[in-house]
């Protein structure tokens, strides 16, 4: 019986969807703009992934994915994914992070995705580490507040 865990994709597939399409490649320009607007308005819970690794003043548009399942041996697997457009000044880029970890908690995986995002941001923009580390500290504080409720 199928339970929705049979879907397969790759970081390349997800990233290619976020690339600017040729004119009229999607339904139409208005629909593309609405999709991007929805991605920019991700709920706060999902702002802990890729957007958490970039400075507050950098706009992002992202689509997250989560799946909690068990593998064929009955071991629980936590899947946390994020695909984002990062509108860094002079260096906009796309980043996709896909994970599947046995026994990791959701918050821990959010932090790891944010750390990857911060490293990529620094590499792409040649940013000073202080800019990103202040965002990481705020993210860790917000994550701690979220888990203490």
């Amino acid at each position: 019986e199928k339970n929705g865990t049979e879907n397969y994709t790759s970081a390349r597939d997800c990233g290619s969807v976020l690339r600017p399409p040729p004119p009229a490649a999607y339904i139409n320009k208005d629909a593309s703009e609405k999709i991007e607007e929805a991605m920019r308005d991700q709920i706060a819970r999902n702002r802990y992934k890729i957007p958490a690794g970039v400075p507050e003043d950098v706009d992002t548009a992202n689509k997250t994915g989560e799946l909690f399942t068990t593998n064929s041996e009955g071991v629980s697997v936590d899947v946390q994914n994020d695909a984002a457009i990062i509108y860094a000044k002079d260096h906009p880029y796309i980043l996709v992070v896909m994970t599947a970890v046995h026994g990791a908690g959701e918050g821990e995986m959010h932090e790891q995705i944010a750390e990857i995002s911060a490293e990529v941001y620094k590499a792409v923009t040649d940013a000073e580490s202080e800019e990103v580390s202040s965002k990481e500290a705020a993210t860790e504080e917000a994550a701690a507040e979220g888990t203490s409720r």
Side-chain angles (χ1 to χ4, degrees):
E1 181 176 314
K2 296 191 178 213
N3 64 6
T5 61
E6 305 79 20
N7 301 322
Y8 295 94
T9 191
S10 68
R12 178 179 285 193
D13 288 344
C14 294
S16 68
V17 171
L18 300 180
R19 288 184 175 280
Y26 290 139
I27 298 169
N28 59 46
K29 184 177 180 183
D30 185 52
S32 293
E33 288 173 356
K34 286 180 182 179
I35 291 168
E36 185 175 354
E37 180 180 339
M39 289 175 62
R40 286 178 181 262
D41 292 338
Q42 275 280 317
I43 60 174
R45 178 175 99 82
N46 291 328
R47 302 298 289 181
Y48 292 128
K49 293 181 179 181
I50 291 174
V54 300
E56 291 276 342
D57 62 339
V58 175
D59 287 335
T60 60
N62 68 311
K63 174 64 181 99
T64 61
E66 297 82 19
L67 178 65
F68 306 97
T69 189
T70 56
N71 66 14
S72 59
E73 290 83 39
V75 177
S76 65
V77 178
D78 186 357
V79 175
Q80 295 285 329
N81 300 327
D82 198 0
I85 304 168
I86 296 86
Y87 300 96
K89 183 180 177 185
D90 300 323
H91 298 284
Y93 61 95
I94 294 168
L95 176 61
V96 179
V97 180
M98 304 182 86
T99 67
V101 179
H102 301 257
E106 182 178 27
E108 177 185 341
M109 292 179 72
H110 287 190
E111 290 174 24
Q112 291 174 357
I113 291 171
E115 288 171 13
I116 291 167
S117 175
E119 290 300 317
V120 171
Y121 180 83
K122 286 188 280 187
V124 168
T125 64
D126 209 21
E128 293 297 318
S129 60
E130 301 91 51
E131 293 178 40
V132 177
S133 64
S134 65
K135 174 66 175 167
E136 289 173 341
T139 300
E140 289 175 8
E141 182 179 316
E145 288 175 14
T147 57
S148 64
R149 292 180 192 174

